[in-house]
Amino acid sequence: MGLVSQPAPYGRPAPGRQATPHAGSTTPPPAAGRGTPSPAARPLPGRRLRPAVILRHTLAWLVGLLWIVPFLGILMSALRPQAELIHGWWQLGQVTISAENFVRAWNHPTAPMGEGIRNSLLVVVPSTVLPLLIASLAAYGFLRSRARVRTPLFALIILLLAVPQQMVAIPLFRILRDLGFINSYAGLVVTHTAWALPWMIMFLRNYFATLPREVEEAALLDGAGRLQIFWHVILPLSLPGLASAAALQLTWAWNDFFMALILLYEPTRLVATQRIPLLRGQYHVDWGILTAASVLTIAVPILVFALLQRYYVRGLIGWTLK
Amino acid sequence: MATVQLHHVTKQFGDVTAVHDFSLEIDDGEFLVLVGPSGCGKSTLLRVVAGLEEVTSGEIYIDDRLVNHVAPKDRDVAMVFQNYALYPHMNVYDNLAFGLRMRRVARDEIDRRVRQAAEILGLADLLRRRPAQLSGGQRQRVALGRAIVREPKVFLMDEPLSNLDAKLRVEMRTELARLHQRLRVTTIYVTHDQTEAMTMGSRIVVMKDGRIQQVASPLELYEQPANLFVAGFIGSPPMNFVRGTLEPRDGDLWFAAAGISIRVPGALAGATAGLGGHPIVLGVRPEDILVDPERVRVLPDHRVEALVEVVEPLGADAFVHLLAGEQRLTARVPGRVKVRVGDRLTVAPDPDRIHLFDPATEQALSRAATSP
């Protein structure tokens, strides 16, 4: 009797209770001498570099060099005439830089790369736009639908991600042949689109899920229908996510060799990646023309990467990690 | 403008009942405030009225039209969200115009209404800015503007001021009140802040655990709380509560707790009749603990001896924390009263303003209409 003076739950919070969440959120002290050096741990002027740091940097440089050397070789071979390459591209006795190999590859009599790159673009651009359109609509549906089939259907789509390309090659060829889609870009575009849909739906659904729900609800009360919300709110807010998906899909479709090999064999219709092996002569290997064709082919993904680097990397590591 | 009627509205999420059998009629042009601690179901109720959530059972009428199955956009309500929910990729003008465009309002009419709302809210110079380029208060105004341009029947506001800093919150409170005076649109306003509730609402609904605790005007809520929860929730610092028993003595009932003995005033005699020996909770607001010796002297049956433990001067007022027997009490005294820590005082709860609660039901014992 005679204990209560103030209603505890709704009055001022007890100091003990307030302290708990803070204790939980404090970051643990960094382990001394381990892990990447934080800005605070960076050596001050005059302080000596520790051997571990030097070792780490040396290793990183070595690995980096190992990665860049083959590419350097390709670039050197592409830029120098055949005569200089007989004893290896690393011989730097005489270095002549010329675009000759590129011109020869571009206008090659049997497999001109110029035509190949044009064909690749004809395939890749719709193969990126089409799945983006379909997948973004599907992803929004998966996020907001209240239908019972939503979860099993989504599980099925995740499952499709695990199907290896080689497994579907023969049935795919038969279906497209029966549909008259062999040797047509439409056939390859449909294939790329279908192949991209599962990951893109999952990717975009997860991206849309990061958008604030209230903005959609505000639009709902403002009188917008679901499609209008999708078009006026979701898509504009998702431009970074869409750019990520586009960059990844564009690179993937451009680099594809396997699907094109199955579906296109008319010589004038071959895409860029299909033409590189054809540039190898029957009796001697013309490294200059081969490497020039390779450089021409990888130029497009590199350009995409350079332009959309931020979105590309974000797409790979996931947008939800912030 | 419109009336809103809720008949036995219940909303469940799985096994959790967020709103429990809620019935209320909101008058045309009323500013109704829903207040309660977080998780009491007040936001859920607002979302149910907006149509963002479906009711589990019960009926909702807006202007006598049953809207249970009407889509949010066709209910003619506008909502202001706690985090504003502006469209980040649109400038202020487009944010305001979006709802009108979706409703295919003519272009010059949109322009007229957007500029008028911008004028009212002081946004005229900011129409080309994006939300990211605005301060919190400006964003809040855009969110309000988005509701105003629609000229809806009902405004729904979900803690619209809780993301603002303290000073701005007070300013916006006044501004909102002024806006309501001007537009007279029926408004349902949700907050967990009792000061906001008291200052803005023409009527206040106090909620707890999905149930209505009391519906009353601000003053009535303050002076006649229906139960222990309302009494403790409204008012800052909160009402003092003392647990004790009712003891019959000399033909009167006395409230008795360790170190405190007070005669139950005549106005409460009716409600306490026959409760001798029962446990009881006495409630008294800090400003109703009299410290002035002149006033205490005339209340021989209500005196309490107390030790001053802490004094918190606030300028106009001071809070004096007292120890009476085993009881801690907070008294609010005029700022100029000289009280020092360690003083022994004789204080008295104002007998006209004592509240008694049944500890079992937590309900207030009602006070007779006239006090002798």
Side-chain angles (χ1 to χ4, degrees):
Chain A
M1 252 200 263
L3 291 170
V4 183
S5 66
Q6 276 168 14
Y10 309 109
R12 283 157 275 170
R17 251 190 297 161
Q18 249 182 344
T20 348
H22 289 296
S25 65
T26 45
T27 44
R34 293 191 145 266
T36 44
S38 65
R42 205 172 282 156
L44 296 165
R47 218 167 112 189
R48 265 179 303 165
L49 287 170
R50 278 169 298 164
V53 176
I54 298 171
L55 190 73
R56 211 159 41 225
H57 281 242
T58 317
L59 261 173
W61 276 101
L62 271 175
V63 171
L65 217 61
L66 220 60
W67 273 89
I68 203 89
V69 161
F71 182 74
L72 258 177
I74 288 172
L75 203 63
M76 293 281 269
S77 311
L79 286 169
R80 296 165 73 184
Q82 182 79 10
E84 286 184 20
L85 299 172
I86 292 167
H87 302 291
W89 60 267
W90 52 89
Q91 301 289 339
L92 299 175
Q94 189 198 355
V95 177
T96 322
I97 301 290
S98 88
E100 185 205 329
N101 288 329
F102 288 97
V103 176
R104 284 199 300 137
W106 190 267
N107 301 317
H108 195 272
T110 53
M113 285 309 291
E115 194 180 54
I117 282 172
R118 194 206 64 174
N119 292 352
S120 278
L121 283 174
L122 283 176
V123 170
V124 163
V125 172
S127 295
T128 305
V129 175
L130 210 58
L132 263 184
L133 273 175
I134 301 170
S136 55
L137 263 172
Y140 187 54
F142 271 116
L143 187 66
R144 291 287 174 251
S145 161
R146 290 178 188 174
R148 274 172 192 281
V149 292
R150 183 180 77 160
T151 311
L153 208 60
F154 197 64
L156 186 73
I157 281 177
I158 306 276
L159 220 66
L160 284 177
L161 284 170
V163 176
Q165 242 176 4
Q166 286 74 6
M167 205 170 93
V168 300
I170 291 166
L172 191 70
F173 175 80
R174 288 187 167 188
I175 293 170
L176 290 180
R177 184 192 58 193
D178 294 348
L179 291 171
F181 268 173
I182 296 301
N183 262 329
S184 88
Y185 297 142
L188 195 53
V189 168
V190 167
T191 308
H192 278 319
T193 302
W195 200 257
L197 281 179
W199 78 260
M200 224 183 245
I201 288 173
M202 190 175 85
F203 180 94
L204 290 175
R205 193 209 85 98
N206 291 346
Y207 189 86
F208 294 162
T210 65
L211 303 176
R213 183 83 189 255
E214 292 80 7
V215 176
E216 268 178 74
E217 291 177 339
L220 214 55
L221 284 164
D222 260 347
R226 278 290 173 196
L227 268 179
Q228 285 171 313
I229 292 177
F230 175 73
W231 189 252
H232 291 292
V233 178
I234 299 294
L235 281 190
L237 290 183
S238 302
L239 283 179
L242 294 172
S244 284
L248 292 172
Q249 170 63 6
L250 203 106
T251 310
W252 159 257
W254 184 276
N255 288 343
D256 165 71
F257 179 72
F258 186 71
M259 289 294 187
L261 194 68
I262 297 168
L263 300 175
L264 296 177
Y265 43 84
E266 165 83 38
T268 57
R269 301 200 153 216
L270 301 184
V271 296
T273 47
Q274 282 176 292
R275 290 176 188 236
I276 299 174
L278 301 178
L279 298 175
R280 214 176 62 127
Q282 198 161 4
Y283 302 107
H284 92 114
V285 179
D286 186 342
W287 286 110
I289 206 166
L290 260 184
T291 52
S294 301
V295 170
L296 281 174
T297 308
I298 58 175
V300 170
I302 286 180
L303 204 71
V304 170
F305 180 77
L307 290 176
L308 300 174
Q309 184 181 14
R310 200 177 131 234
Y311 303 109
Y312 194 97
V313 175
R314 266 300 192 184
L316 287 179
I317 62 172
W319 273 96
T320 44
L321 302 169
K322 283 193 175 152
Chain B
M1 291 208 235
T3 59
V4 178
Q5 294 170 44
L6 301 162
H7 292 321
H8 304 287
V9 169
T10 294
K11 173 66 187 174
Q12 293 176 318
F13 295 101
D15 294 339
V16 182
T17 305
V19 177
H20 196 99
D21 195 21
F22 191 105
S23 294
L24 189 70
E25 298 202 356
I26 300 156
D27 298 335
D28 188 12
E30 187 173 2
F31 197 109
L32 182 95
V33 175
L34 293 174
V35 68
S38 54
C40 72
K42 54 194 192 300
S43 287
T44 305
L45 194 73
L46 202 69
R47 292 171 60 82
V48 162
V49 175
L52 296 172
E53 306 281 355
E54 280 183 38
V55 294
T56 309
S57 66
E59 285 137 30
I60 302 166
Y61 295 88
I62 296 176
D63 247 0
D64 300 322
R65 179 171 72 131
L66 181 67
V67 294
N68 277 28
H69 300 292
V70 175
K73 61 172 177 167
D74 299 322
R75 292 191 184 192
D76 205 3
V77 299
M79 186 153 166
V80 178
F81 293 83
Q82 180 176 358
N83 56 7
Y84 321 134
L86 301 179
Y87 309 119
H89 56 295
M90 297 182 195
N91 63 30
V92 171
Y93 188 98
D94 292 335
N95 261 285
L96 297 178
F98 185 77
L100 300 175
R101 286 187 185 136
M102 288 297 119
R103 286 163 206 278
R104 308 197 176 283
V105 175
R107 189 184 288 260
D108 1 325
E109 174 68 7
I110 293 179
D111 194 64
R112 189 187 66 75
R113 286 209 226 166
V114 167
R115 292 194 187 281
Q116 191 186 2
E119 202 59 51
I120 294 173
L121 294 165
L123 293 168
D125 296 335
L126 306 171
L127 287 174
R128 296 291 148 212
R129 298 246 193 114
R130 294 259 181 113
Q133 298 165 299
L134 301 176
S135 70
Q138 290 167 338
R139 281 179 215 180
Q140 182 55 63
R141 267 190 279 253
V142 177
L144 277 174
R146 198 166 58 177
I148 291 173
V149 291
R150 290 251 320 276
E151 296 175 6
K153 285 183 178 169
V154 183
F155 281 149
L156 305 172
M157 304 199 181
D158 190 2
E159 311 224 5
L161 306 184
S162 60
N163 281 6
L164 301 177
D165 63 53
K167 186 164 173 285
L168 208 53
R169 202 178 307 156
V170 176
E171 279 174 31
M172 285 301 290
R173 214 160 68 193
T174 320
E175 205 162 318
L176 269 177
R178 199 179 301 136
L179 205 63
H180 181 251
Q181 304 258 313
R182 177 168 176 172
L183 303 174
R184 286 277 157 213
V185 177
T186 311
T187 303
I188 307 178
Y189 186 103
V190 161
T191 181
H192 65 270
D193 182 322
Q194 48 126 340
T195 315
E196 257 172 48
M198 295 291 282
T199 52
M200 301 179 78
S202 50
R203 246 190 336 157
I204 299 175
V205 179
V206 182
M207 287 180 74
K208 183 194 164 200
D209 299 336
R211 291 167 200 265
I212 295 182
Q213 302 296 309
Q214 189 171 4
V215 183
S217 71
L219 265 186
E220 194 185 337
L221 215 54
Y222 190 76
E223 298 194 330
Q224 293 162 43
N227 57 34
L228 269 175
F229 176 78
V230 175
F233 188 76
I234 302 290
S236 173
M239 187 183 278
N240 296 290
F241 293 120
V242 183
R243 276 175 199 277
T245 38
L246 286 174
E247 292 176 357
R249 203 187 295 164
D250 311 330
D252 278 329
L253 272 180
W254 287 67
F255 170 85
I260 296 178
S261 185
I262 292 167
R263 188 169 56 83
V264 173
L268 283 160
T272 52
L275 288 178
H278 272 71
I280 199 92
V281 175
L282 178 138
V284 59
R285 294 211 178 269
E287 65 270 28
D288 297 332
I289 294 184
L290 305 175
V291 177
D292 183 1
E294 296 292 312
R295 299 188 63 186
V296 172
R297 201 175 48 200
V298 299
L299 298 166
D301 295 343
H302 297 92
R303 283 186 204 154
V304 175
E305 301 299 324
L307 173 74
V308 176
E309 285 197 316
V310 178
V311 178
E312 295 175 323
L314 295 174
D317 294 329
F319 296 137
V320 180
H321 298 272
L322 302 162
L323 184 66
E326 293 172 8
Q327 303 301 327
R328 291 219 150 73
L329 300 172
T330 305
R332 181 184 209 141
V333 303
R336 290 190 185 84
V337 171
K338 295 264 185 300
V339 182
R340 273 187 308 256
V341 175
D343 284 357
R344 296 205 156 268
L345 298 178
T346 304
V347 301
D350 185 342
D352 293 338
R353 297 189 181 277
I354 285 174
H355 304 268
L356 292 180
F357 302 90
D358 182 339
T361 62
E362 301 198 347
Q363 298 299 309
L365 302 182
S366 57
R367 175 178 278 276
T370 50
S371 57

